[in-house]
Amino acid sequence: CKSAVERLFLQEDCLLVLYGVTGSGKTYTAVGSERDPGVLTRAVRLLLDQCKMKSASGSTVICLKCSMACLHNDLIVDLLSS
């Protein structure tokens, strides 16, 4: 998780794929709980912390783009659209 976030600041792309049958724990693995955050929650926290540190000097501009989609029964759904 940490190395993937660090690579983003080297302008490399990153992809997190969760795959499995219904009920296998994909959402819990990604999001987790308040006491035990999942991989996606930890990655976003690390990413935002890195953005704060890098932009604290005021000379760095950070543009962050992300997407989240679900593929189910050959249908792709944008999970971040309104």
Side-chain angles (χ1 to χ4, degrees):
C1 181
K2 186 176 180 181
S3 64
V5 170
E6 289 170 347
R7 286 194 312 268
L8 289 173
F9 285 96
L10 298 173
Q11 298 182 353
E12 295 181 19
D13 294 334
C14 182
L15 173 67
L16 172 65
V17 176
L18 299 169
Y19 174 81
V21 298
T22 300
S24 63
K26 297 176 298 292
T27 300
Y28 185 79
T29 299
V31 180
S33 65
E34 190 171 328
R35 195 181 87 224
D36 187 22
V39 66
L40 183 59
T41 304
R42 292 191 317 258
V44 169
R45 285 181 185 161
L46 283 168
L47 182 60
L48 295 177
D49 287 346
Q50 289 288 325
C51 288
K52 286 179 193 175
M53 288 189 324
K54 293 200 182 290
S55 64
S57 66
S59 63
T60 302
V61 175
I62 296 172
C63 177
L64 201 56
K65 295 179 183 180
C66 66
S67 60
M68 185 179 283
C70 174
L71 173 61
H72 185 9
N73 291 334
D74 296 329
L75 179 66
I76 298 174
V77 179
D78 181 354
L79 298 176
L80 300 179
S81 67
S82 55

